[in-house]
Every structure is written in C-alpha cells, then in structure tokens.
Amino acid sequence: MNEFSNFRQKLEEEKTRLEGELSKIARPNPQVKGDWEVSSPDMNPMISDSNEMADTFEEMDNMVGIEYQLEERLKEVVLALERMEKGTYGVCEKGGERMDPKRLEANPAARTCIEHSA
Ligand SMILES: [Zn+2]
C-alpha cells in the first residue's frame, strides 16, 4: 500500500464511470488509442418531418459536446494513472514540486499545483 492508493482507487472508479458514460453515446476509435467517436443516432428512415430531423441534428451536436468533455476528462484520468505507474504522480508538471495532497483530494487527476494551474 503506497501513499497514493487512495487516489488510485478514486481514479480507477472515475475511469470506469467515464468509460461507462462514453460507451452509451460513443465507441472507441479502433485506429486511435484513447479516442472515442460519437455513434450516429439511429437514423429513422421513416422520419420525413424536417423538425424531427432538426431535433436529431441538434441532439447529435449536444452529444458531440458531451462526448468531448467526457473524453477529455478520461484522458486526464488515464494520464494520472500512467504517472502513478511512472512514479511521477503528485508532482506539479510546471514547477516540479510535490503537490499539496488537498489539491489531489479535490482533483486526483490534477497535473499542476494550484499556483501553476492558471
Ligand atoms: Zn507548481
């Protein structure tokens, strides 16, 4: 048991949750590791109403936004887990100093300390 096992658990849980959310609206891109693509909504060929079509496109737009946020967050979480493997977890990427545990408590995937986060 190391000092970060608590954060690792949080990150693993968040990763599982994010992947679950993503898999509802997207699928992993087989070409690019870590990349997800929004799955096309089931286009109903019976839709002739242009309003309904517009709704579908709007929904698609929203999904792309949500997918992007989930994917970005997932990348942060995966990077944090990789830093744990490498032993660089908890070190500020900009200043190189050890981060305040409170900072990691608030965001276990944080890459920089509060001072360097701007
Ligand atoms: Zn820093």
Side-chain angles (χ1 to χ4, degrees), residues 41-99:
D42 297 324
M43 286 290 188
N44 186 344
M46 297 304 282
I47 294 178
S48 51
D49 189 326
S50 59
N51 283 331
E52 269 188 59
M53 281 301 278
D55 280 355
T56 305
F57 285 125
E58 203 179 300
E59 203 177 297
M60 186 83 184
D61 243 27
N62 284 338
M63 276 183 4
V64 170
I66 294 165
E67 190 274 341
Y68 180 77
Q69 283 177 7
L70 289 171
E71 190 182 315
E72 286 303 299
R73 182 63 192 166
L74 181 59
K75 278 180 193 160
E76 294 287 306
V77 169
V78 169
L79 278 173
L81 286 165
E82 281 175 5
R83 289 198 298 277
M84 275 185 184
E85 295 300 321
K86 288 187 208 141
T88 57
Y89 182 77
V91 176
C92 170
E93 279 189 3
K94 285 194 186 158
E97 76 281 0
R98 290 182 74 83
M99 281 189 250

